[in-house]
């Protein structure tokens, strides 16, 4: 083999090693630190919009089997775990089908009593204060429409304030039974209160093992039903004001 061929072969192997190292590093970052997620539905409007791309902090609550690619059953429960705070926006595995990711807000902690009465959220018998905060109009074609009433809720124990939508005063989630959150589980609700499949319905109580991480920042956002592949539409449909916005 000529000296030139040897150099070309060495250069090829060096490039392969760099690519493999980059892939391993990316997998480690995705598994241990941050993972990107896309918002596919309007259940967290107005906090998160369809077309938002977010980073999820995976070390915020420690790790379970669902933190690993393909969710291998190598251990149960959580390791290096810490508790989510009420009001955190969390990505988790849907309890009836753990292959599916959901994103909602933590409303109930273990032992809490949660109920909605006449549109008002109650935690342990106390109404969560809420105030009108203008209206919301969506650029998403399927929901929820224009001039939807917005209400700000304030959680007394954490002081966290966030906006919710109220499409209807008489939806099926506006008057519920009282839910008592079991030990090791959490009660989740979407900010789009009248259009969210959450712990009031099919989601049920979410086991701590199913938590993936806390939504941390919006790093990219496309409006008007724009696909990520439609690069030519980015300049006009990019939501510039949402780039690098912290998720509250």
């Amino acid at each position: 083999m000529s000296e030139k061929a040897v150099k070309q072969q060495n250069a090829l192997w060096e490039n392969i090693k760099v690519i493999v190292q980059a892939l391993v590093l990316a997998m480690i970052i995705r598994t241990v630190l941050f993972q990107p997620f896309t918002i596919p539905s309007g259940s967290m409007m107005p906090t998160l919009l369809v077309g938002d791309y977010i980073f999820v902090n995976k070390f915020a609550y420690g790790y379970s089997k669902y933190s690993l690619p393909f969710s291998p059953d190598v251990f149960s429960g959580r390791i290096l775990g810490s508790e989510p705070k009420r009001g955190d926006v969390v990505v988790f595995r849907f309890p009836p089908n753990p292959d599916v990711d959901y994103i909602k807000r933590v409303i109930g902690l273990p032992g809490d009593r949660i109920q909605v009465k006449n549109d008002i959220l109650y935690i342990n018998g106390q109404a969560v204060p809420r105030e009108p905060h203008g209206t919301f109009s969506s650029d998403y074609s399927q929901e929820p429409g224009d001039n939807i009433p917005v209400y700000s809720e304030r959680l007394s124990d954490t002081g966290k304030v966030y906006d919710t939508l109220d499409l209807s005063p008489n939806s099926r989630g506006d008057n519920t039974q009282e839910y008592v959150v079991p030990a090791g589980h959490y009660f989740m609700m979407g900010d789009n209160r009248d259009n969210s499949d959450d712990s009031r319905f099919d989601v049920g109580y979410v086991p701590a093992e199913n938590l993936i991480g806390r939504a941390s920042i919006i790093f990219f956002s496309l409006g008007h039903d724009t696909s990520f592949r439609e690069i030519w539409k980015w300049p006009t449909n990019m939501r510039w004001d949402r780039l690098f916005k912290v998720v509250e």
Side-chain angles (χ1 to χ4, degrees):
M1 185 180 292
S2 67
E3 182 179 353
K4 181 178 179 181
V6 170
K7 288 183 178 179
Q8 289 177 338
Q9 187 178 55
N10 289 340
L12 175 62
W13 279 111
E14 286 299 319
N15 289 335
I16 291 174
K17 285 194 293 184
V18 169
I19 293 171
V20 170
Q21 290 170 352
L23 291 174
V24 171
L25 179 60
M27 182 174 293
I28 291 173
I29 291 174
R30 185 183 185 279
T31 301
V32 179
L33 300 177
F34 294 96
Q35 184 171 341
F37 281 88
T38 306
I39 304 303
S41 75
S43 70
M44 280 298 294
M45 290 180 179
T47 304
L48 294 171
L49 309 181
V50 176
D52 282 348
Y53 294 76
I54 65 173
F55 280 126
V56 171
N57 180 341
K58 296 189 73 172
F59 57 85
Y61 310 131
Y63 306 96
S64 75
K65 66 179 182 180
Y66 296 120
S67 304
L68 305 175
F70 310 112
S71 307
D73 198 11
V74 292
F75 63 92
S76 61
R78 304 193 72 82
I79 58 174
L80 305 176
S82 59
E83 299 293 326
K85 296 180 180 178
R86 194 191 317 278
D88 286 357
V89 177
V90 173
V91 172
F92 59 92
R93 294 294 179 89
F94 180 46
N97 180 5
D99 292 332
V100 178
D101 294 322
Y102 268 44
I103 183 166
K104 306 291 179 186
R105 190 179 297 277
V106 176
I107 294 298
L109 305 178
D112 281 343
R113 294 177 290 110
I114 306 297
Q115 189 172 17
V116 181
K117 295 187 292 185
N118 297 321
D119 259 2
I120 304 297
L121 172 64
Y122 286 77
I123 301 176
N124 297 322
Q126 300 296 315
V128 174
R130 75 169 192 167
E131 296 180 355
H133 194 204
T135 61
F136 171 79
S137 296
S138 173
D139 62 21
Y140 180 48
S141 62
Q142 297 186 37
E143 60 173 315
D146 296 325
N147 300 316
I148 305 301
V150 177
Y151 291 88
S152 289
E153 289 185 349
R154 178 184 296 274
L155 299 175
S156 59
D157 53 348
T158 64
K160 183 180 284 289
V161 179
Y162 52 87
D163 286 341
T164 64
L165 297 185
D166 188 10
L167 282 72
S168 168
N170 298 304
S171 74
R172 65 178 183 141
D174 286 337
N175 286 280
T176 71
Q177 67 183 73
E178 183 177 74
Y179 303 91
V180 181
V181 186
H185 291 71
Y186 298 91
F187 193 94
M188 308 290 190
M189 292 180 68
D191 291 347
N192 188 353
R193 290 290 168 75
D194 295 326
N195 199 3
S196 173
D197 184 12
D198 51 40
S199 291
R200 294 171 293 175
F201 310 116
D202 292 343
V203 171
Y205 305 114
V206 177
E209 184 179 54
N210 288 45
L211 304 183
I212 301 297
R214 184 179 67 236
S216 59
I217 193 168
I218 301 168
F219 67 88
F220 195 75
S221 185
L222 291 171
H224 301 284
D225 301 9
T226 304
S227 167
F228 187 84
R229 296 186 296 272
E230 297 175 313
I231 298 176
W232 62 93
K233 293 184 179 180
W234 287 11
T236 54
N237 292 338
M238 184 81 71
R239 300 186 185 111
W240 298 99
D241 59 330
R242 296 184 66 77
L243 301 190
F244 307 108
K245 181 179 180 180
V246 175
V247 179
E248 299 289 350

